[in-house]
């Protein structure tokens, strides 16, 4: 990571002059222990060789948490919450934590829920606006999906800001992935250009865990949990039949974090295929020959493939794009299923191949306990940041701390797994797949 490539400064709408309601409810002898100073910083790179340099040049993030003084007057403040993009475990937990923090701790009584993502700001779609309060969010953490709904695709930024002005919104909370972060950045820029006092706070969301400068995204822990069940099922199916093969496709458009972590959590996989490492199908060191060697030696095999793996095998096909402008990935799971079947049929080796794709089951499930707790921290810290008048930031978990990351530093960039790093090397050791890719 090149820390010189980005600034960690967080913009503010103005000086925070209002005593926080949290301070009024805090014991006089312990006021400072509850609050975080704007001078509190979390170092970005904690490796020793980095720390030996000039201390003034060490890059650090703004530590998240409640401030003693806030910018907005809660009695007059209106907030809006919107969830965008694909579904993910924990969306309802995020919504609930923000609503409860705004209502009970900061005494904000007007909280709008924008329906169906960024479409909810555009009059032509005619989506209703929800009034959010403790009653409306009661129990939503036990259900999957998003109570606000979602949508994909870009919308007119000017019309979104027009809507925020009409509704007199002071803080906009956006929950979404890389496309949402790009939209949030453009919204914040348009707001600044119009000289409006509207805070824009983002909470990054992706099962793929691939958002830049975010070490862990909510929903990932739940996804790993459920993915391990698919691996167990695939392993049981493969072992039960002669020459059994279990093939599981997991999420991971551009990064293999889920496939790799699930493989380590449930060490039944023999091959893990990720986007960061191109797949070679044929030849003495190709995947299909390695799979045949495994079947001959052990009579069964389990394969995990990330959805973005092997796209190099489709280079001869023209790219297509979804409504959000993302390249539509070719279905590597079904492609491999067909190629494996063809390979063993040509070799006259009978196999029993079972294909499992749990992707949309995982996306729409409620968060597990770890993710639910994590979402609570993210939601509350998003509220603290917005109330303090900070803007154009995303709440991140970094070096075991919750921090503010400027949108300019993260939006439009992606975190990938290092094929030479410890996570992938651990996968290679746990699966032993390298032993089959030999001459």
């Amino acid at each position: 990571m090149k820390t010189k490539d980005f600034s960690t400064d967080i913009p503010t709408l103005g000086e925070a002059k209002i005593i926080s309601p949290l301070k009024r409810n805090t014991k006089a002898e312990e006021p400072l222990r509850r609050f975080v100073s704007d001078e509190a910083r979390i170092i970005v790179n904690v490796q020793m060789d980095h720390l030996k340099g000039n201390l003034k040049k060490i890059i650090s993030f703004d530590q998240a948490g409640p401030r003693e003084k806030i910018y907005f007057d809660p009695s007059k403040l209106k907030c809006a919450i919107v969830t965008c993009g694909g579904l993910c475990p924990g969306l309802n937990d995020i919504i609930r934590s923000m609503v409860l923090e705004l209502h009970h701790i900061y005494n904000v009584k007007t909280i709008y829920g924008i329906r169906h993502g960024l479409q909810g700001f555009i009059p032509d779609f005619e989506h209703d606006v929800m009034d959010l309060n403790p009653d409306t969010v009661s129990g939503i953490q036990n259900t999957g999906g998003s109570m606000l709904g979602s949508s994909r695709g870009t919308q007119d930024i000017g019309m979104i800001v027009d809507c925020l002005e009409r509704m007199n919104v002071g803080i906009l909370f956006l929950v979404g992935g890389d496309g949402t972060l790009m939209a949030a950045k453009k919204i914040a820029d348009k707001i600044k250009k119009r000289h409006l006092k509207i805070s824009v706070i983002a909470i990054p969301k992706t099962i793929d865990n691939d958002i830049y400068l975010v070490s862990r995204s909510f929903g990932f822990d739940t996804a790993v949990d459920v993915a391990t069940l698919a691996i167990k099922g695939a392993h049981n199916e493969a072992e039960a039949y002669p020459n059994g093969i279990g093939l599981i496709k997991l999420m991971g458009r551009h990064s293999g974090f889920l496939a790799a972590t699930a493989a380590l959590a449930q060490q039944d996989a023999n091959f893990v295929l990720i986007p960061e490492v191109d797949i070679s199908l044929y030849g003495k060191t190709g995947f299909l020959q390695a799979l045949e060697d495994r079947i001959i030696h052990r009579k069964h095999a389990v394969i995990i493939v990330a959805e973005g793996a092997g796209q190099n095998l489709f280079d001869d096909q023209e790219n297509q794009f979804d409504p959000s402008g993302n390249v539509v990935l070719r279905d590597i799971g079904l492609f491999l299923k067909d190629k494996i079947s063809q390979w063993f049929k040509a070799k006259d080796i009978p196999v029993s191949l079972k294909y499992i794709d749990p992707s949309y089951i995982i996306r729409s499930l409620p968060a597990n306990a770890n993710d639910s707790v994590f979402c609570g921290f993210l939601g509350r810290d998003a509220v603290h940041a917005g109330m303090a008048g900070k803007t154009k930031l995303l709440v991140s978990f970094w070096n075991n701390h919750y921090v503010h990351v400027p949108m300019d530093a993260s939006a439009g960039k992606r975190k990938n797994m290092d094929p030479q790093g410890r996570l992938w090397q651990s996968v290679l050791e746990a699966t032993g797949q390298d032993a089959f890719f030999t001459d």
Side-chain angles (χ1 to χ4, degrees), residues 239-308:
E239 272 200 324
Y241 296 90
N243 297 336
I245 300 174
L247 173 61
I248 313 116
K249 186 179 80 170
L250 297 178
M251 290 83 74
R253 286 181 56 85
H254 302 285
S255 304
F257 291 106
L258 176 58
T261 307
L264 292 175
Q266 183 65 37
Q267 296 190 23
D268 289 325
N270 310 112
F271 300 95
V272 180
L273 309 176
I274 59 172
E276 291 88 344
V277 180
D278 285 347
I279 300 173
S280 175
L281 281 183
Y282 302 105
K284 291 183 178 180
T285 59
F287 166 71
L288 292 173
Q289 183 61 59
L291 178 59
E292 179 186 332
D293 293 343
R294 163 74 193 187
I295 291 296
I296 291 172
H297 286 93
R298 300 299 302 274
K299 307 303 180 184
H300 73 281
V302 175
I303 307 157
I304 299 173
V305 58
E307 62 179 318

Side-chain angles (χ1 to χ4, degrees), residues 88-141:
C88 176
L91 283 170
N92 283 332
D93 298 75
I94 292 285
I95 295 168
R96 182 174 181 270
S97 66
M98 288 194 289
V99 170
L100 296 184
E101 191 75 9
L102 285 166
H103 188 278
H104 289 307
I105 304 303
Y106 285 101
N107 302 313
V108 175
K109 303 307 179 186
T110 304
I111 309 168
Y112 298 122
I114 307 300
R115 299 298 309 278
H116 300 298
L118 298 181
Q119 287 185 3
F121 293 104
I122 310 302
D124 289 349
F125 289 102
E126 298 183 346
H127 296 314
D128 292 335
V129 174
M130 293 184 67
D131 288 323
L132 299 178
N133 56 60
D135 289 335
T136 59
V137 300
S138 177
I140 65 171
Q141 74 275 19

Side-chain angles (χ1 to χ4, degrees), residues 10 38 79 189 433:
I10 298 295
D38 279 341
C79 298
D189 288 339
Q433 69 185 61

Side-chain angles (χ1 to χ4, degrees), residues 97-393:
S97 66
M98 288 194 289
V99 170
L100 296 184
E101 191 75 9
L102 285 166
H103 188 278
H104 289 307
I105 304 303
Y106 285 101
N107 302 313
V108 175
K109 303 307 179 186
T110 304
I111 309 168
Y112 298 122
I114 307 300
R115 299 298 309 278
H116 300 298
L118 298 181
Q119 287 185 3
F121 293 104
I122 310 302
D124 289 349
F125 289 102
E126 298 183 346
H127 296 314
D128 292 335
V129 174
M130 293 184 67
D131 288 323
L132 299 178
N133 56 60
D135 289 335
T136 59
V137 300
S138 177
I140 65 171
Q141 74 275 19
N142 299 318
T143 61
S146 166
M147 72 170 295
L148 297 177
S150 189
S151 66
R152 294 184 183 274
T154 58
Q155 303 299 334
D156 185 277
I157 300 300
M159 295 181 71
I160 293 174
V161 178
D162 289 343
C163 182
L164 294 173
E165 282 195 86
R166 287 194 299 270
M167 297 176 69
N168 197 27
V169 168
I171 307 177
L172 171 63
F173 299 100
L174 300 101
V175 189
D178 52 350
T180 303
L181 294 181
M182 289 296 293
K185 178 178 177 295
K186 293 176 182 177
I187 292 170
D189 288 339
K190 180 69 74 172
I191 286 170
K192 183 179 180 180
K193 190 174 182 179
R194 294 191 187 182
H195 305 289
L196 302 175
K197 297 294 186 179
I198 303 175
S199 170
V200 180
I201 307 294
I203 298 179
K205 172 227 67 175
T206 170
I207 288 177
D208 296 353
N209 200 31
D210 63 351
I211 294 181
Y212 190 63
L213 298 178
V214 176
S215 61
R216 172 190 170 192
S217 55
F218 74 87
F220 182 73
D221 194 88
T222 305
V224 171
D225 259 2
V226 182
T228 59
L229 297 178
I231 297 170
K232 289 178 184 177
H235 182 249
N236 291 339
E237 287 284 350
E239 272 200 324
Y241 296 90
N243 297 336
I245 300 174
L247 173 61
I248 313 116
K249 186 179 80 170
L250 297 178
M251 290 83 74
R253 286 181 56 85
H254 302 285
S255 304
F257 291 106
L258 176 58
T261 307
L264 292 175
Q266 183 65 37
Q267 296 190 23
D268 289 325
N270 310 112
F271 300 95
V272 180
L273 309 176
I274 59 172
E276 291 88 344
V277 180
D278 285 347
I279 300 173
S280 175
L281 281 183
Y282 302 105
K284 291 183 178 180
T285 59
F287 166 71
L288 292 173
Q289 183 61 59
L291 178 59
E292 179 186 332
D293 293 343
R294 163 74 193 187
I295 291 296
I296 291 172
H297 286 93
R298 300 299 302 274
K299 307 303 180 184
H300 73 281
V302 175
I303 307 157
I304 299 173
V305 58
E307 62 179 318
Q311 296 303 301
N312 60 293
L313 303 174
F314 304 94
D315 286 342
D316 59 335
Q317 299 183 23
E318 186 177 348
N319 286 335
Q320 297 179 344
F321 299 88
D322 65 16
S324 298
N326 300 312
V327 174
V328 176
L329 299 177
R330 272 64 179 195
D331 195 328
I332 186 63
L334 293 177
F335 177 85
L336 281 183
K337 178 176 179 290
D338 290 341
K339 294 299 181 183
I340 291 169
S341 298
Q342 293 169 15
W343 176 272
F344 284 98
K345 184 177 181 180
K347 295 292 186 84
D348 199 24
I349 302 175
V351 295
S352 175
L353 175 58
K354 305 296 171 60
Y355 177 59
I356 301 172
D357 181 357
S359 300
Y360 287 100
I361 295 174
I362 294 174
R363 290 181 182 278
S364 58
L365 288 177
N368 67 10
N370 282 337
D371 264 332
S372 188
V373 172
F374 186 49
C375 288
F377 280 106
L378 292 173
R380 287 187 290 272
D381 280 342
V383 169
H384 294 320
M387 292 301 301
K390 299 180 184 300
T391 188
K392 204 178 179 184
L393 66 84

